[in-house]
Amino acid sequence: MELNFKQELVGCFGFPVAENPTQAMIEPAFEALGLDWRYLTLEVKAEDLERAVEGARAFAFQGFNCTIPHKIEVIKYLDGLGESAELMGAVNCVVLCEGRLIGENTDGKGFVAALSQIEDPKGKTMVLFGAGGAARAISVEMAVAGVKKIVVVNRGEQRGRDLVDLLTGKVQQVLEHDLEVDWVKWEGDYSLPEQTNIVVNATSIGLYPDVAASLDIDMDTLLPSMVVADVIPNPPETCLVRGARQRGCRVIDGLEMLVAQGVIGIQFWTGESPDANIMRSALEKVFAGED
Ligand SMILES: NC(=O)c1ccc[n+]([C@@H]2O[C@H](COP(=O)([O-])OP(=O)(O)OC[C@H]3O[C@@H](n4cnc5c(N)ncnc54)[C@H](OP(=O)(O)O)[C@@H]3O)[C@@H](O)[C@H]2O)c1
């Protein structure tokens, strides 16, 4: 009988990384696909990143995710970038392609995949809270998906303006439509303009353990016609998600985005399409404290 005790390896490099739940959704997906693959959660400090990437090459990893603080720094150790990662200047998913490590960005693609199940982004107006890595990824992919107008609302001025410059410069150059971009400095309660179609929290407000933190917005300006999305995966029901549901909005929680980007990562690594429902319920169990 032919025996094989060698698994294919992928994983996540980050620091801190112990609370990253990705393994909990990826490994059940591999199992359901009949793949003997392992997803390792690996603590990699900033100063060890180069050696960690060399290690991944030596161990023939099929790829790996990158999280804080490696999304930008990792680029200099890779052999090439996919189109989105090149536009955003950030990588969250590295893929082994014909012996080369290629950096991709699945955060925004995952968001668009989750959103597209309930709303076509084409021609829509999106109000985006935040201007960090997640906001960058979401706004670039939403622009590529055809959104007409993006209002960037951010507390810090420099990051907000940098994102506006990216969207009106490098991103506009690859679009076939005119993208309108507005910038609002976030001070006090923000009222959503009536014509808003999509509202996105891409800040870290509401992330465990600050679960009672809520966005400074006038919740009464949320209308049932709006789609409201929150990137926070833990807990999935943030104050924003709860308030939006109470007002009759259609809602996408942070687990939807996490699962959707995980699906794309598995497709990149294995060429196979995993079952998103298995991944979502594995995460729900983890956050309900069942595992
Ligand atoms: N669900 C998913 O698949 C997924 C994927 C990626 C990220 N995420 C989540 O997205 C969140 C943001 O990640 P990131 O990588 O974008 O982080 P980041 O680059 O550090 O950006 C954080 C953003 O949040 C804003 N912010 C933080 N605290 C704030 C406060 N009290 N008031 C107003 N603004 C505040 C920051 O504004 P300033 O510029 O003013 O500092 C900045 O715009 C994290 O919680 C992460 O877990 C989820």
Side-chain angles (χ1 to χ4, degrees):
M1 184 180 15
E2 193 177 312
L3 296 171
N4 176 18
F5 297 101
K6 184 188 91 65
Q7 287 96 27
E8 297 299 339
L9 297 178
V10 286
C12 178
F13 294 180
F15 188 85
V17 78
E19 285 202 20
N20 189 303
T22 309
Q23 181 189 68
M25 68 170 179
I26 300 279
E27 291 209 330
F30 284 157
E31 200 181 330
L33 286 169
L35 295 173
D36 190 16
W37 285 46
R38 295 303 314 274
Y39 184 99
L40 307 178
T41 302
L42 296 165
E43 201 165 72
V44 175
K45 292 187 179 152
E47 62 270 27
D48 293 326
L49 180 61
E50 181 174 9
R51 288 189 297 147
V53 175
E54 286 312 307
R57 291 184 197 273
F59 290 129
F61 271 49
Q62 295 301 316
F64 52 91
N65 288 130
C66 280
T67 185
I68 290 169
H70 305 313
K71 288 185 180 183
I72 295 169
E73 283 305 299
V74 75
I75 291 174
K76 56 175 175 276
Y77 307 122
L78 302 179
D79 305 312
L81 292 180
E83 200 183 357
S84 299
E86 176 88 57
L87 263 181
M88 290 163 205
V91 164
N92 77 330
C93 181
V94 175
V95 187
L96 184 68
C97 292
E98 296 167 356
R100 299 171 73 230
L101 288 178
I102 304 299
E104 301 281 354
N105 199 307
T106 60
D107 277 337
K109 289 185 200 299
F111 179 85
V112 172
L115 179 94
S116 300
Q117 307 228 352
I118 56 169
E119 182 79 304
D120 182 356
K122 223 169 248 158
K124 302 294 186 323
T125 293
M126 170 171 84
V127 173
L128 176 70
F129 294 97
R136 226 164 224 263
I138 289 169
S139 56
V140 169
E141 293 291 355
M142 285 293 278
V144 171
V147 90
K148 183 185 73 178
K149 179 171 176 179
I150 299 177
V151 183
V152 177
V153 185
N154 198 51
R155 175 184 65 176
E157 189 152 347
Q158 191 55 52
R159 270 217 272 203
R161 292 206 180 278
D162 288 348
L163 178 52
V164 171
D165 289 348
L166 172 70
L167 293 170
T168 53
K170 213 168 151 187
V171 173
Q172 178 64 73
Q173 281 170 19
V174 301
L175 299 178
E176 283 168 8
H177 68 286
D178 285 335
L179 176 68
E180 264 180 79
V181 184
D182 271 359
W183 144 251
V184 176
K185 183 165 167 54
W186 197 359
E187 289 169 318
D189 260 12
Y190 178 81
S191 293
L192 289 151
E194 238 176 50
Q195 62 275 23
T196 306
N197 307 109
I198 301 163
V199 181
V200 183
N201 173 34
T203 73
S204 41
I205 298 170
L207 185 66
Y208 180 87
D210 295 323
V211 298
S214 60
L215 274 70
D216 270 345
I217 60 174
D218 178 353
M219 291 293 271
D220 290 332
T221 58
L222 284 175
L223 304 176
S225 57
M226 297 176 185
V227 174
V228 176
D230 200 325
V231 297
I232 301 298
N234 179 18
E237 187 168 86
T238 57
C239 294
L240 177 66
V241 163
R242 195 163 43 249
R245 284 198 178 120
Q246 281 162 358
R247 283 163 180 79
C249 306
R250 289 165 294 155
V251 170
I252 296 165
D253 67 24
L255 288 190
E256 293 287 309
M257 176 178 167
L258 191 60
V259 168
Q261 55 105 342
V263 165
I264 297 166
I266 290 177
Q267 286 166 340
F268 270 134
W269 293 326
T270 70
E272 305 220 25
S273 290
D275 184 335
N277 293 325
I278 288 176
M279 295 165 73
R280 167 112 198 173
S281 51
L283 284 176
E284 279 172 353
K285 268 196 202 163
V286 168
F287 290 123
E290 291 172 29
D291 265 354

